């Protein structure tokens, strides 16, 4: 039996740091409020020359280098993003060109913050069916360009970044064991970016109404996220006949420290079994899990032969998990 195995990871965040104190000077907020309600202390944002594909390429080159692979060794590129460089060509095609990955097909997927875990679901099937041999999956976002910097309810939350993984088949008893994806479009209005698509195409009116910025009903989203992720994590373990105590690490989407702690409590996981970097980067949407995975590996917290659980929640609404035996 072939399983999909993550053979390498890479990540990239831009150099510019925006601290909570910087935000205190822009909107009516405080470091105390942001830390207490979200766990975020600072976030990274791009400079004026950078777009999502630039971040994605940095993360991808990093992953390729660690795997001693060349871009032409990749046969498929998938970029999970809700902030593509442009509507089309896809960010994945732009990445393919920039990397020089001339043997790869390329396309984007959008499941908002769950995009990377949705990507793992897809990649796992494509590798198991032997449709592709070696896939580059990137989660990359430039949320700072779709953030309303005058809206304190959203601008304190988001950041920019990218994370990448390279996935191959293995016949060993490890790799991506199971993936679980879910959606509820009836709750789509809880987090949305309405402007710039075919419903509200760019016009003076959409700009004046600020429709090109993220709109979020934070507190309602929070409640659904806690409930849904607790259920999802528990069910993922049950369906694999595993007890949560058999997990060596939970790598959750970094949206809010209180959501992360609620899932950890439900699984009875101690702090050392939960990877958190939200204080440094805020919510980087589809990039958050691959950045966290890359950092967790570099910190020696992902151990060969052990189980890790990835789980995400985001706009759509969407939520997803992936159980991996490293
Ligand atoms: O990644 C995808 C999914 N996204 C999420 O999962 C995010 C989910 N939501 C959250 O993380 C939280 O709901 C937030 C961090 C966004 C907000 O925290 P909350 O505890 O749900 O606060 P709230 O929205 O209930 O607001 C409480 C108060 C309000 O004031 P009043 O009405 O009580 O006077 C807000 O106006 O906090 C106020 N507030 C702020 N105060 C200072 C909202 N934002 C700020 C702010 N600084 N930045």
């Amino acid at each position: 039996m072939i399983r999909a195995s993550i053979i390498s990871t890479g990540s990239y965040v831009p150099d510019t740091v925006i601290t909570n104190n910087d935000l205190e000077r822009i909107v009516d907020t405080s470091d105390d409020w942001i830390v207490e309600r979200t766990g975020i202390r600072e976030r990274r944002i791009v400079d004026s020359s950078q777009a999502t594909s630039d971040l994605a390429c940095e993360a991808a080159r990093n992953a390729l280098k660690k795997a001693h692979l060349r871009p032409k060794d990749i046969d498929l590129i998938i970029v999970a993003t809700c902030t593509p460089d442009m509507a089309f060509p896809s960010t994945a095609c732009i990445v393919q060109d920039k990397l020089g990955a001339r043997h790869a097909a390329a396309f984007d997927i959008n499941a908002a913050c769950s995009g990377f875990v949705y990507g793992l679901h897809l990649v796992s099937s494509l590798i198991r069916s032997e449709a592709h041999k070696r896939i580059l999956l990137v989660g990359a976002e430039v949320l700072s360009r779709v953030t309303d910097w005058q809206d304190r309810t959203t601008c304190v939350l988001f950041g920019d970044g990218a994370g990448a993984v390279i996935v191959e088949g293995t016949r060993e008893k490890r790799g991506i064991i199971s993936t679980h994806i879910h959606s509820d479009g009836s709750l789509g209005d809880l987090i949305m970016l309405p402007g710039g698509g075919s419903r509200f195409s760019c016009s003076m009116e959409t700009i004046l109404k600020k429709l090109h910025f993220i709109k979020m009903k934070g507190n309602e989203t929070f409640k659904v996220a806690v409930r849904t992720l607790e259920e999802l994590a528990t069910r993922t373990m049950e369906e694999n006949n595993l007890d949560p105590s058999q997990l060596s690490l939970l790598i959750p989407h970094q949206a809010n420290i209180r959501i992360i702690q609620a899932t950890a409590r439900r699984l009875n996981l101690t702090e050392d079994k939960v990877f958190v970097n939200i204080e440094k980067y805020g919510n980087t949407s589809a990039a958050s899990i691959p950045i966290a995975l890359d950092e967790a590996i570099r910190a020696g917290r992902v151990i060969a032969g052990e189980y890790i659980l990835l789980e995400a929640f985001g706009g759509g609404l969407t939520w997803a998990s992936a159980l991996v035996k490293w």
Side-chain angles (χ1 to χ4, degrees):
M1 178 191 172
I2 294 186
R3 281 216 179 94
S5 163
I6 298 173
I7 62 154
S8 185
T9 63
S11 63
Y12 172 80
V13 289
D15 294 335
T16 304
V17 176
I18 303 282
T19 64
N20 291 348
N21 291 331
D22 295 329
L23 291 174
E24 284 175 357
R25 288 189 276 277
I26 305 174
V27 287
D28 179 14
T29 191
S30 67
D31 178 49
D32 285 350
W33 190 96
I34 302 171
V35 172
E36 190 189 313
R37 298 289 178 120
T38 71
I40 301 166
R41 292 185 184 275
E42 55 188 47
R43 67 288 291 145
R44 301 298 183 96
I45 68 161
V46 288
D47 67 41
S48 58
S49 70
Q50 290 176 306
T52 298
S53 65
D54 300 306
L55 278 52
C57 282
E58 293 287 347
R61 285 192 189 104
N62 195 226
L64 284 164
K65 192 173 166 197
K66 282 190 215 159
H68 305 291
L69 290 169
R70 289 162 300 178
K72 73 176 180 52
D73 299 326
I74 298 294
D75 65 3
L76 181 65
I77 298 174
I78 301 176
V79 175
T81 185
C82 58
T83 51
D85 285 23
M86 53 192 77
F88 63 87
S90 68
T91 302
C93 281
I94 299 170
V95 167
Q96 183 225 17
D97 178 47
K98 284 184 180 160
L99 292 178
R102 52 184 191 281
H103 301 316
F107 62 88
D108 288 356
I109 57 168
N110 178 357
C113 301
S114 310
F116 179 78
V117 186
Y118 265 61
L120 285 181
H121 178 74
L122 198 54
V123 164
S124 179
S125 303
L126 292 171
I127 293 286
R128 279 190 285 119
S129 67
E130 299 186 64
H132 288 275
K133 278 196 158 48
R134 192 176 289 125
I135 304 177
L136 170 67
L137 171 65
V138 189
E141 304 281 10
V142 175
L143 293 165
S144 59
R145 297 247 163 80
V146 294
T147 296
D148 179 355
W149 292 98
Q150 293 175 336
D151 174 11
R152 71 174 183 172
T153 69
T154 52
C155 77
V156 301
L157 304 174
F158 301 110
D160 303 335
V165 296
I166 299 171
V167 183
E168 275 183 7
T170 179
R171 291 190 186 277
E172 292 171 25
K173 284 188 180 162
R174 61 184 176 82
I176 300 172
I177 306 294
S178 77
T179 52
H180 309 255
I181 65 169
H182 302 274
S183 310
D184 184 353
S186 73
L187 296 174
D189 67 330
L190 293 187
I191 325 175
M192 62 199 311
L193 196 165
S198 60
R199 179 68 59 195
F200 303 111
S201 61
C202 296
S203 67
M204 279 309 288
E205 193 190 349
T206 58
I207 290 167
L208 290 172
K209 286 184 174 166
K210 296 188 168 193
L211 296 187
H212 304 278
F213 293 134
I214 298 170
K215 316 279 173 209
M216 183 168 75
K217 295 177 184 164
N219 195 265
E220 284 171 65
T221 307
F222 181 91
K223 287 175 191 153
V224 185
V226 168
R227 176 171 41 81
T228 315
L229 287 173
E230 284 182 353
E231 277 169 24
L232 177 66
T234 312
R235 212 168 345 108
T236 304
M237 299 307 288
E238 280 170 7
E239 284 180 18
N240 287 286
N241 297 315
L242 289 172
D243 188 83
S245 62
Q246 291 172 268
L247 273 184
S248 79
L249 194 65
L250 170 69
I251 303 185
H253 170 46
Q254 311 282 315
N256 186 312
I257 190 69
R258 292 179 292 143
I259 299 176
I260 295 172
Q261 286 165 345
T263 312
R265 264 197 307 275
R266 178 70 172 260
L267 294 178
N268 226 352
L269 297 177
T270 47
E271 251 178 49
D272 57 311
K273 286 190 165 187
V274 184
F275 191 83
V276 176
N277 63 5
I278 191 171
E279 69 284 358
K280 294 191 289 182
Y281 308 130
N283 179 348
T284 57
S285 186
S288 97
I289 289 182
I291 293 173
L293 175 63
D294 185 49
E295 290 199 344
I297 291 170
R298 283 191 277 130
R301 292 182 64 184
V302 179
I303 298 156
E306 304 220 331
Y307 288 106
I308 64 169
L309 179 64
L310 316 178
E311 44 102 352
F313 178 89
L317 295 178
T318 55
W319 58 103
S321 65
L323 180 73
V324 181
K325 187 169 185 186
W326 204 257

